[in-house]
Amino acid sequence: MFLFLSKVLDLLLAPLSWALLLWLAAWALRRRRERLSRALSALGGVVLYAFSIEPVAMGLMRATEAGAVRSFQPGVTYDAVIVLGGGLDPAATERTGVPEYNAAAERVLRGFELLREGRARQVLISGGSLDPRPEAVVEADVLSRQLQRWGVPAERIVLEGRSRNTRENALESARIIQARGWKSLLLVTSAAHMPRAAGCFAAVGLRPDLLPVDSRASRTPLRRMSWLPRSGALNVSTDALRELAGRVVYRARGWTVP
């Protein structure tokens, strides 16, 4: 039920959804409340424009990534690097039969680099599937095969393919870590996702070193950014709002700790 509600919340947190709902309300009131209808229609346009410009989008993403602490120690060889899923496009992967990635692909790339450079003895890939079909793509399996094609021996790869969200990433990873007796750990995920992920791992008694990747917040001064609407900026705004809302929900449920 929580997973279903989280998907509904994702939809409702999209500025495009807000604009469409406002326009739908404006259309429904066009005959009875003409003045209100025009106001709602204009508000829908303002909402869509505001979240589609770089200053707003980057401001939100900066706030989202602000808590992404980097505690990676270059001189340490970690027992394991934990790579969280979220960089794979499962639907596209299923259609083409080859790994298809999204903007968070840097997670697995950085994990591979750490293994290649000898910074970690093993990698724990944590990522399952929201699709209940038996034949559904499981991200951990796909990433494992990808790492092996890049030359990583299978014995250095540990899979966790049951988790469906960040809370389950932490719970399932903790079981594996305890069973294997790993002590020194490094957590790799996107910068925007890192505060929530680190909080989830801390809630299950794990405080690994942190290596945020996939930073999306531009450091260009906001006043110098474009004020023309762009679909890319709308996507960034939506991702930031969803992550910020996810933190509120996780904190309310007691799934994260500082």
Side-chain angles (χ1 to χ4, degrees):
M1 178 59 72
F2 176 77
L3 291 171
F4 171 76
L5 292 176
S6 69
K7 294 306 172 186
V8 173
L9 184 63
D10 277 352
L11 180 63
L12 294 177
L13 285 170
L16 179 58
S17 297
W18 302 344
L20 291 174
L21 289 172
L22 287 167
W23 288 331
L24 180 61
W27 179 82
L29 295 170
R30 70 191 187 285
R31 299 185 187 278
R32 291 176 293 160
R33 304 285 298 275
E34 184 178 350
R35 182 175 297 179
L36 178 59
S37 175
R38 288 199 299 267
L40 291 174
S41 181
L43 181 58
V46 169
V47 166
L48 191 59
Y49 170 77
F51 289 99
S52 298
I53 57 175
E54 285 187 345
V56 172
M58 287 302 133
L60 283 169
M61 188 54 72
R62 286 181 186 178
T64 306
E65 294 183 353
V69 176
R70 177 188 172 105
S71 54
F72 168 59
Q73 302 180 61
V76 171
T77 299
Y78 292 92
D79 289 337
V81 53
I82 308 164
V83 175
L84 299 189
L88 190 76
D89 185 329
T93 298
E94 185 172 342
R95 286 195 306 270
T96 64
V98 297
E100 302 283 355
Y101 297 100
N102 57 35
E106 191 177 346
R107 299 180 187 184
V108 68
L109 291 174
R110 191 58 57 87
F112 167 68
E113 290 174 353
L114 290 165
L115 290 171
R116 183 186 60 185
E117 295 167 1
R119 301 300 182 191
R121 298 180 180 89
Q122 291 186 285
V123 59
L124 170 58
I125 304 175
S126 178
S129 174
L130 291 171
D131 191 335
R133 295 176 302 145
E135 68 275 17
V137 170
V138 175
E139 184 166 5
D141 295 339
V142 175
L143 297 185
S144 173
R145 291 192 292 270
Q146 180 70 78
L147 289 175
Q148 290 179 64
R149 281 193 291 270
W150 289 342
V152 177
E155 57 269 22
R156 296 184 70 188
I157 304 171
V158 179
L159 302 184
E160 184 287 292
R162 298 175 58 185
S163 58
R164 298 166 296 173
N165 56 32
T166 309
R167 163 70 168 174
E168 293 180 1
N169 285 150
L171 286 170
E172 298 298 333
S173 294
R175 294 190 182 101
I176 294 172
I177 291 165
Q178 182 178 10
R180 290 180 173 263
W182 290 336
K183 300 300 181 184
S184 58
L185 302 166
L186 177 66
L187 179 63
V188 174
T189 191
S190 300
H193 184 232
M194 182 60 83
R196 181 158 57 104
C200 285
F201 274 80
V204 298
L206 296 173
R207 292 190 180 271
D209 285 347
L210 309 176
L211 180 56
V213 299
D214 179 34
S215 179
R216 300 175 64 187
S218 170
R219 297 306 167 193
T220 302
L222 297 182
R223 66 181 181 276
R224 293 173 53 190
M225 293 182 181
S226 172
W227 290 76
L228 294 175
R230 294 284 187 272
S231 60
L234 180 61
N235 288 336
V236 171
S237 294
T238 302
D239 289 346
L241 289 169
R242 286 172 173 166
E243 177 56 37
L244 292 171
R247 294 179 193 176
V248 173
V249 172
Y250 271 50
R251 193 173 298 117
R253 293 181 66 93
W255 289 355
T256 64
V257 298

